[in-house]
Amino acid sequence: MTLKIACLQLDIAFGNPAENKRHVQQEIEKVCQSSVDVIVLPELWTTGYDLARLDDIADENGADTKSFISKLARLHNVCIVAGSIAKKTAAGITNTMYIVNRDGDIVGEYSKLHLFQLMDEHLYLQSGESSGLFTLEQTLCAGVICYDIRFPEWIRAHTTQGAELLFVVAEWPQPRLEHWRTLLQARAIENQCYVIACNRAGKDPNNQFAGHSLVIDPWGVILAEADEHPCSLMAEIQLSKVKEVRKQIPIFQDRRPEHYISAEKNFQKNS
Ligand SMILES: NC(=O)CCC(=O)C(=O)O
């Protein structure tokens, strides 16, 4: 099966959910003219990193966002990996990703596990605890958020369950562009999965963002890469390629997890 992917590498209006929703709706309408299967949005696409105002602008239980993306998915017969938004609950605010299928059903919800202190997330956000696994177009997928890509063991926990596509949504700043590219390529090679990574473009009061959304195949080959400007990055992926690469070099059969755990314990004991 082939899937046509569109990563919407948007500039994001700081702290302005109404404007960002208007813009996203417009961009989704545009890319759907060329019949795409899956649309991906960046991290915190409704608010940006306006963390100090999240109490006022975060989405109560994600209700508005869920209904917004669900309607668009149904209308355009398209799956949407809806980046992430600030979700407000009685327990606090999380950085939460929603995934919706062509029928408009919410098929996944994941809240960012690793909070990024360099951008003050730990001061305003609660971390999530659930897995990022979901099924889209009969394919097991994983979703993670930005800083999560620096934790290969978290992503491995998803691919050992069989995830074949890894969606990464981000607001990754420009000064660490080479980390972004290298980490994403490494995650694709070591997990033998497609990596579909949607970053934002533009700047906010504190950061210039890198853009460079990427689609990488399970062999580590870059199929499509954006520059730093706002754009819709399109790519076609062949799902059969995952099984081919996993057959050629069977790393999931060759893993020795029992040794990794005992090695970690032994190293701690000896230090
Ligand atoms: N929004 C983020 O999680 C940014 C992560 C980041 O910039 C990094 O270097 O890691």
Side-chain angles (χ1 to χ4, degrees):
M1 184 170 45
T2 302
L3 288 181
K4 193 162 173 190
I5 311 280
C7 292
L8 302 193
Q9 180 173 295
L10 307 168
D11 194 353
I12 293 171
F14 194 63
N16 191 342
E19 168 55 19
N20 289 316
K21 282 188 178 155
R22 188 205 58 75
H23 188 201
V24 161
Q25 180 164 349
Q26 183 186 49
E27 293 303 312
I28 288 182
E29 279 160 11
K30 258 194 233 163
V31 291
C32 283
Q33 284 165 14
S34 44
S35 68
V36 292
D37 299 299
V38 184
I39 292 175
V40 192
L41 303 177
E43 181 181 19
L44 292 178
W45 62 270
T46 57
T47 56
Y49 264 85
D50 192 356
L51 299 182
R53 289 183 57 238
L54 284 188
D55 254 345
D56 298 326
I57 58 176
D59 188 353
E60 201 81 41
N61 294 311
D64 283 350
T65 306
K66 283 194 273 186
S67 127
F68 176 78
I69 56 166
S70 175
K71 274 188 205 139
L72 284 171
R74 255 196 321 270
L75 183 66
H76 296 290
N77 184 33
V78 70
C79 305
I80 306 177
V81 176
S84 72
I85 56 116
K87 174 190 177 188
K88 190 173 173 181
T89 67
I93 300 174
T94 51
N95 183 342
T96 300
M97 169 193 270
Y98 292 109
I99 301 96
V100 64
N101 68 14
R102 293 177 190 272
D103 298 326
D105 306 320
I106 303 289
V107 294
E109 170 171 349
Y110 165 70
S111 294
K112 190 174 188 176
L113 177 64
H114 305 96
L115 298 181
F116 190 52
Q117 298 193 35
L118 203 57
M119 284 164 72
D120 286 346
E121 287 190 329
H122 62 304
L123 303 179
Y124 297 95
L125 299 172
Q126 310 283 321
S127 90
E129 283 171 2
S130 62
S131 100
L133 286 172
F134 59 93
T135 300
L136 213 51
E137 304 288 87
Q138 298 90 49
T139 306
L140 191 62
C141 305
V144 297
I145 304 178
C146 208
Y147 184 45
D148 283 333
I149 64 169
R150 289 189 185 270
F151 300 87
E153 54 277 57
W154 180 232
I155 290 160
R156 182 69 111 206
H158 293 76
T159 51
T160 53
Q161 297 305 303
E164 299 190 343
L165 306 187
L166 174 67
F167 289 92
V168 179
V169 304
E171 291 212 24
W172 193 281
Q174 199 283 331
R176 294 181 295 285
L177 170 61
E178 283 315 312
H179 289 194
W180 163 256
R181 299 180 80 256
T182 306
L183 289 165
L184 291 172
Q185 229 170 342
R187 297 299 81 88
I189 294 168
E190 74 198 355
N191 290 290
Q192 301 175 317
C193 64
Y194 277 101
V195 170
I196 297 151
C198 183
N199 195 19
R200 66 163 287 182
K203 59 182 181 193
D204 72 8
N206 302 309
N207 288 291
Q208 175 74 48
F209 294 95
H212 282 264
S213 296
L214 283 154
V215 179
I216 305 171
D217 84 3
W219 193 251
V221 175
I222 294 177
L223 301 181
E225 178 169 6
D227 62 13
E228 72 275 26
H229 301 294
C231 68
S232 300
L233 181 72
M234 314 287 268
E236 277 193 12
I237 63 171
Q238 309 288 342
L239 293 178
S240 56
K241 178 93 184 175
V242 176
K243 291 201 172 53
E244 276 166 34
V245 171
R246 289 182 181 179
K247 197 166 163 202
Q248 191 177 351
I249 305 180
I251 58 158
F252 288 96
Q253 287 167 34
D254 293 341
R255 290 176 72 240
R256 307 288 302 279
E258 64 284 11
H259 290 273
Y260 313 151
I261 294 161
S262 61
E264 247 188 47
K265 280 198 190 124
N266 282 337
F267 297 159
Q268 276 166 13
K269 217 168 43 200
N270 298 334
S271 64

